[in-house]
């Protein structure tokens, strides 16, 4: 099974969180694939536009070199995202659109989302792990 890192986990890695860094190294050592969504890329990059953090920006650039970025170039992901959004809205449990797109990507690509965000537990059929 492969992993898709949520934005909060990438943020922890950028901030040199030892627990996250060790887990990432262990997974890499096992030759298990780790991915990042283009949504996470967007969320992190927009944050860097608001602050001057050259060391963190460099760590993020390295993460982008180490892990493949999954683009939203598959209509199945967008269809699944629309389905998740409608399901959550009907249940009165909405979550952020970015989280829905990350969850849909994981479901369509059969990946485990690594996140510290409890909102994602609302998404039916999502495989989820919390390394935080």
């Amino acid at each position: 099974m492969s992993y898709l890192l949520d934005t909060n986990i990438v943020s922890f890695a950028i901030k040199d969180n030892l627990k996250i860094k060790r887990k990432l190294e262990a997974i890499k050592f096992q030759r298990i694939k780790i991915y990042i969504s283009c949504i996470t890329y967007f969320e992190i990059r927009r944050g860097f536009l608001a602050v001057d953090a050259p060391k963190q920006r460099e760590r993020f650039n390295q993460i982008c070199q180490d892990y493949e970025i999954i683009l939203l170039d598959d209509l199945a992901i967008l269809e699944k995202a629309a389905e998740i959004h409608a399901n959550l809205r009907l249940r009165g449990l909405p979550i952020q659109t970015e989280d829905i797109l990350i969850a849909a990507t994981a479901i369509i690509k059969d990946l485990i989302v690594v996140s510290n965000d409890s909102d994602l537990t609302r998404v039916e059929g999502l495989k989820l792990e919390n390394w935080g």
Side-chain angles (χ1 to χ4, degrees):
M1 186 58 67
S2 298
Y3 293 96
L4 180 63
L5 304 180
D6 192 14
T7 305
N8 54 54
I9 298 299
V10 174
S11 292
F12 288 148
I14 290 169
K15 293 173 184 169
D16 263 347
N17 178 293
L18 286 178
K19 186 175 181 181
I20 298 300
K21 284 180 67 174
R22 285 186 185 129
K23 186 69 173 177
L24 287 170
E25 288 170 12
I27 297 293
K28 251 172 106 173
F29 182 75
Q30 296 173 44
R31 298 188 189 271
I32 296 172
K33 294 281 286 179
I34 299 172
Y35 299 92
I36 298 172
S37 167
C38 64
I39 301 301
T40 292
Y41 183 91
F42 161 74
E43 289 184 297
I44 298 287
R45 281 287 180 214
R46 75 178 177 195
F48 283 141
L49 292 176
V51 297
D52 183 32
K55 287 181 183 177
Q56 291 179 341
R57 193 173 16 254
E58 181 55 38
R59 283 189 209 113
F60 181 61
N61 289 339
Q62 187 58 53
I63 288 169
C64 291
Q65 299 285 322
D66 292 344
Y67 309 121
E68 184 179 336
I69 297 172
I70 298 175
L71 302 176
L72 292 179
D73 61 354
D74 184 345
L75 282 178
I77 293 172
L78 300 176
E79 288 290 334
K80 181 50 104 175
E83 179 185 311
I84 292 168
H85 174 79
N87 178 283
L88 290 172
R89 189 168 174 198
L90 288 170
R91 291 170 40 212
L93 301 169
I95 63 175
Q96 291 185 337
T97 300
E98 291 88 349
D99 290 337
I100 290 171
L101 289 165
I102 290 169
T105 299
I107 290 169
I108 294 300
K109 302 286 186 179
D110 195 27
L111 302 171
I112 298 169
V113 173
V114 179
S115 180
N116 195 33
D117 185 349
S118 62
D119 283 353
L120 289 172
T121 61
R122 301 176 193 170
V123 178
E124 294 176 356
L126 181 65
K127 298 173 194 147
L128 192 60
E129 288 186 14
N130 183 349
W131 296 350

